[in-house]
Amino acid sequence: GFSYIGENSCHGLEACRVHYYTAGHFEVGKGSCLNGWKSCFVNQVSGKFYHYIIGDNSCSGKHACYFLSLPDNVVIGSGSCQCENCCSCLDGTKDVPDGTCNSLGDGADNCCTDSSTKNENFDNRGKLTLPNTVIQ
């Protein structure tokens, strides 16, 4: 697998932990995966390939980007997922545009209504800025 961690990222207990038996692509932009236990956590099923990209200044707070459904593919833009559990319900079916999913709720900018329930009203059609890293 491949992992890239941007500067000033992955601060906190198990903030960017990737289990040794997984294979895939884990990319974190600048200033992301902060301020919480398992703020970005890859816990995949052995033998599955995953592809996770997290933009700059995203995934801040306990379990902000600890994906409970073990999706194969997650893409999060910049300035997104800025609260406890606010993106933990993601299942890989929708990308997260810039500046969205920064609170739990049922509005158009909320990914999850709670830690494990997707918000059916979430609108993922906004701008998606990926981190400026070595691989895109």
Side-chain angles (χ1 to χ4, degrees), residues 26-94:
F26 181 59
E27 197 170 334
V28 177
K30 297 174 185 173
S32 294
C33 302
L34 305 173
N35 306 321
W37 181 50
K38 296 183 180 178
S39 55
C40 296
F41 189 79
V42 177
N43 185 23
Q44 278 292 337
V45 176
S46 183
K48 282 180 67 178
F49 185 86
Y50 64 89
H51 182 80
Y52 291 179
I53 298 177
I54 297 168
D56 296 340
N57 303 306
S58 293
C59 299
S60 181
K62 179 182 174 187
H63 292 179
C65 294
Y66 179 6
F67 311 112
L68 301 175
S69 69
L70 308 177
D72 295 338
N73 187 53
V74 175
V75 179
I76 296 172
S78 294
S80 300
C81 304
Q82 300 283 339
C83 73
E84 184 172 321
N85 291 311
C86 55
C87 289
S88 59
C89 74
L90 295 176
D91 62 4
T93 58
K94 290 187 176 182

Side-chain angles (χ1 to χ4, degrees), residues 15-28:
C16 288
R17 183 173 176 186
V18 178
H19 279 286
Y20 68 91
Y21 55 81
T22 60
H25 178 179
F26 181 59
E27 197 170 334
V28 177

